Amino acid sequence: MRGLAVGAIALTSVLSMAACAKDTGPTSPGSTNTAGGCKLADKPAAAAATSSTTASDEKVDGSALKVGLAYDIGGRGDASFNDSAAAGLDKAKSDLGIKPENLKELTAAPNEPEDAKLTRLRQLAGEGFNPIIGVGFAYAESLAVVAPEFPNVKFAIVDGAVEGAANVTPLVFAEEQGSFLAGVIAAYQSKACHVGFVGGVEIPLIQKFDAGFAQGAKTAAPDIKIEKKYLTPAGDFTGFQDPTKGQEAATGQIESGADVLYHAAGASGKGVFSAAKTAGVKAIGVDSDQYLQKTVEESKDVIVSSMLKRVDVAVYDFVKAVAKNDLASLPKVFDLSVDGVGYATSGGKIDDSLKSVLEGYKAQIIEGKIKVTDKP
């Protein structure tokens, strides 16, 4: 009995120590905390103060435009990629004076045949909508067919390009740059020095998020451990529309020890947030500022930030450029230098100290001192 009592006391001590370790936060840069958190790399130099001028107050009349938007799967309300495009359309309606009856939104279905996209684009063009925006690289093949049929219509495609189609404007992003900053956030927020990435579909686009996140986390904390899971293989796009799979993948990573999860999984990210909420760990959203999204409001307290992929900016800028007849004014890539990607601070989880670190890394990327890879 005496031996059992001693053993019980020892076990209690071990559990108490473990609890203390769990409750200990990240360490200061360059120091080691044996009770939890990462040994962080030295902070980057502070970003230089900059001043810029913008033409955002320029008055442009878009009232004569009829704008069509062809969403990817999930459509308006996915709390992610499509909602960001929708926000750009809403801003164009408000700022450029586009009439409600001159806006039309259509949405793709999961794993739909290619001719469904052809029909959707032809419907919009045939009804006189111009410009028309295909939200997602999945529209590339269809635009290669439809755009030449309507040479006077100005098309755009988010996350893609159509070679040889002069009337299709590519709206592409440096997702890896924004994801680098998400990786830094994860490293600074993790108590276990163990984080996770959940990708919707294993395709080159989502691998850009994966690659940037891993590089950012490793740059901030070289010894950090990173879990990774894709929900579906290339060709099966249901990975962007399956919250249950997202929750299962996230739960597996949490059980492996990850305490900050970053997703690039579209509507499946709702499941990632649910798993984080249930387990009491942290999560980083994607595309939109997901802390503010009504469809994931029940999980907002675990969302420490979101990697902002400013599809809203690209959609708005494209429509505005069409209204001005000045497509040459658009950037070739929406990257950190034009605020095409970034990070959200809603919810107050990104304090001034961490923001200074993020701005320092951002400056180094813009200056070319850090080259962010787009391949895992």
Side-chain angles (χ1 to χ4, degrees):
M1 292 293 292
R2 185 172 179 274
L4 289 174
V6 171
I9 292 170
L11 178 59
T12 300
S13 298
V14 170
L15 291 174
S16 298
M17 290 172 64
C20 290
K22 184 177 181 181
D23 291 336
T24 303
T27 64
S28 60
S31 65
T32 302
N33 183 347
T34 57
C38 294
K39 179 179 180 181
L40 298 169
D42 291 337
K43 289 183 179 180
T50 59
S51 61
S52 61
T53 58
T54 177
S56 60
D57 294 332
E58 178 187 10
K59 296 298 182 183
V60 175
D61 182 11
S63 59
L65 298 180
K66 291 183 67 177
V67 184
L69 207 65
Y71 289 116
D72 204 347
I73 56 173
R76 184 187 283 265
D78 73 341
S80 186
F81 181 74
N82 290 293
D83 264 355
S84 187
L89 186 65
D90 293 344
K91 180 175 172 59
K93 173 185 173 183
S94 173
D95 291 6
L96 307 180
I98 301 173
K99 301 169 185 175
E101 62 268 25
N102 287 343
L103 297 171
K104 189 159 189 173
E105 304 171 46
L106 301 175
T107 302
N111 291 332
E112 66 182 9
E114 191 64 33
D115 61 3
K117 293 180 178 62
L118 290 168
T119 299
R120 188 174 302 117
L121 294 171
R122 284 177 176 139
Q123 177 185 343
L124 290 169
E127 292 176 1
F129 287 92
N130 184 11
I132 296 170
I133 303 163
V135 184
F137 64 89
Y139 283 98
E141 290 185 22
S142 294
L143 278 170
V145 175
V146 175
E149 296 174 356
F150 298 90
N152 295 323
V153 174
K154 293 180 173 65
F155 294 91
I157 179 170
V158 177
D159 286 343
V162 180
E163 295 296 329
N167 60 330
V168 180
T169 299
L171 304 175
V172 294
F173 302 81
E175 294 91 351
E176 69 280 4
Q177 291 184 0
S179 295
F180 181 102
L181 300 181
V184 173
I185 292 170
Y188 272 75
Q189 293 282 339
S190 178
K191 294 179 180 179
C193 203
H194 192 162
V195 300
F197 171 78
V198 177
V201 183
E202 193 166 7
I203 52 176
L205 173 63
I206 304 304
Q207 288 173 333
K208 292 170 70 177
F209 294 85
D210 175 3
F213 177 72
Q215 185 178 348
K218 289 284 189 182
T219 298
D223 297 329
I224 199 167
K225 185 174 181 180
I226 304 173
E227 303 289 332
K228 177 168 67 174
K229 175 70 175 179
Y230 286 93
L231 303 182
T232 54
D236 180 358
F237 293 103
T238 60
F240 293 129
Q241 193 68 17
D242 195 334
T244 300
K245 280 186 178 178
Q247 185 166 8
E248 290 171 352
T251 299
Q253 294 186 354
I254 293 166
E255 290 175 348
S256 295
D259 64 356
V260 183
L261 305 181
Y262 173 49
H263 86 87
S268 299
K270 297 175 186 179
V272 175
F273 293 143
S274 294
K277 173 80 171 178
T278 298
V281 302
K282 299 174 182 178
I284 300 172
V286 75
D287 296 335
S288 304
D289 185 349
Q290 297 200 287
Y291 182 88
L292 303 177
Q293 290 285 347
K294 292 294 184 184
T295 55
V296 293
E297 188 172 20
E298 69 281 359
S299 302
K300 66 187 296 184
D301 56 316
V302 304
I303 301 175
V304 298
S305 183
S306 296
M307 194 289 278
L308 300 178
K309 176 176 174 179
R310 301 303 302 271
V311 177
D312 58 330
V313 171
V315 167
Y316 174 77
D317 284 358
F318 171 70
V319 175
K320 184 176 180 180
V322 171
K324 293 167 55 180
N325 195 28
D326 185 18
L327 291 176
S329 63
L330 293 172
K332 297 297 183 184
V333 178
F334 288 86
D335 60 12
L336 283 174
S337 70
V338 295
D339 290 325
V341 291
Y343 61 93
T345 59
S346 299
K349 306 292 197 305
I350 307 296
D351 60 21
D352 289 342
S353 176
L354 178 50
K355 186 174 181 180
S356 176
V357 170
L358 294 168
E359 290 301 307
Y361 280 122
K362 176 181 175 180
Q364 289 190 8
I365 293 169
I366 292 173
E367 293 166 9
K369 295 177 180 177
I370 293 177
K371 301 288 187 182
V372 185
T373 182
D374 61 1
K375 295 179 175 58

